Amino acid sequence: MEPAFPDAADLLPLSFFDRDPRDVAPDLLGCRLISHKGGVPTGGIIVEAEAYLGSDDPGSHAATRGMTPRNAVMYGPPGHAYVYFTYGNHFMLNFVCESEGTAGGALIRALQPVWGIATMTQRRSGRPLTELASGPGKLTAALGVDLGDNARPLNTRDLCVYGADAPVDSVGVSGRVGLMHGYEREYRFFVKDNPFVSRGRTGPLRPKQRNEGSPK
DNA sequence: GATTGGATCTACT
DNA sequence: GTAGATCCAATCG
């Protein structure tokens, strides 16, 4: 059955995020993320996260061109959700870190489903448990997170983060996934021996060669 | 107006 | 298991 629901007293204070993302990301492992979309609590344990810095990080949105309307949230106060649309179909969920005025965030890449599994399974078209949230786009779909959650504080009923119930067994570190620049930096943290961690890269990373004739 | 960007999904070997 | 196509928005010139 489902483990006990986290107590409100376990909510992470927003100050938890007011520091370097490289410290926040590993600390998020084992923490519990829960959403209340449609009145149904869904969520689980964070098992994979990546750190993104500000202007000094080539893999960050903030590095490309400073602040833009899209990534402005990353410069805002810590402890807020930074949700952004990509791939035309998928969302990415980040937690804003660092003090207001400094860009920084932790990207949540994988979740171990715990609460509302039935609902999440429906949202994921009946996929097996291990694939409900084993990826950034998958996990937002499972939780029902969308652009409406952008800039939302992480201590509200709709979306909140609780501290770790128990320390994680073993934390692994590796290079980040899916980046064309800055991927060599080892800012990716995950729980070792956990089947819910995303596989990282599978297919070729850069198709690059598109439109080979194929007139239409 | 044109190009870039990255994860997921589906089909096939 | 592997490979390729898809898809929408933001950014750039």
Side-chain angles (χ1 to χ4, degrees):
Chain A
M1 279 305 293
E2 297 183 353
F5 210 71
D7 189 89
D10 291 332
L11 272 175
L12 286 181
L14 297 189
S15 59
F16 175 89
F17 301 95
D18 188 7
R19 51 196 175 123
D20 193 306
R22 286 167 292 186
D23 293 326
V24 175
D27 283 352
L28 282 173
L29 299 180
C31 290
R32 294 158 292 180
L33 171 65
I34 297 176
S35 73
H36 275 256
K37 292 289 176 173
V40 181
T42 52
I45 299 172
I46 297 171
V47 295
E48 182 179 353
E50 287 182 3
Y52 285 85
L53 309 185
S55 56
D56 189 40
D57 188 349
S60 169
H61 286 167
T64 309
R65 223 60 173 180
M67 180 160 53
T68 67
R70 181 201 230 177
N71 63 28
V73 177
M74 281 212 304
Y75 288 83
H80 286 60
Y82 169 43
V83 180
Y84 104 76
F85 212 73
T86 186
Y87 315 147
N89 277 15
H90 309 294
F91 300 98
M92 307 266 266
L93 175 61
N94 302 263
F95 294 161
V96 177
C97 298
E98 297 282 16
S99 302
E100 185 168 1
T102 301
L107 169 66
I108 309 305
R109 293 191 55 87
L111 207 64
Q112 175 178 336
V114 177
W115 298 279
I117 290 177
T119 299
M120 290 192 287
T121 301
Q122 286 182 350
R123 289 176 179 152
R124 296 280 301 124
S125 305
R127 290 295 157 67
L129 187 65
T130 53
E131 292 178 22
L132 287 185
S134 59
K138 299 176 186 177
L139 103 80
T140 52
L143 293 181
V145 170
D146 57 34
L147 277 185
D149 296 302
N150 194 27
R152 170 163 297 174
L154 295 172
N155 59 0
T156 69
R157 174 173 153 286
D158 290 310
L159 193 61
C160 54
V161 185
Y162 299 88
D165 185 29
V168 296
D169 295 326
S170 182
V171 177
V173 181
S174 78
R176 292 179 298 188
V177 179
L179 299 178
M180 300 189 76
H181 303 294
Y183 57 82
E184 71 281 357
R185 298 193 185 190
E186 303 203 320
Y187 294 165
R188 174 172 174 247
F189 307 91
F190 58 94
V191 179
K192 285 185 179 178
D193 301 322
N194 188 297
F196 302 99
V197 172
S198 76
R199 290 200 64 205
R201 142 128 66 306
T202 46
L205 180 56
R206 37 187 327 171
K208 215 53 183 171
Q209 298 285 59
R210 59 213 296 281
N211 75 340
E212 278 297 312
S214 166
K216 187 246 156 193

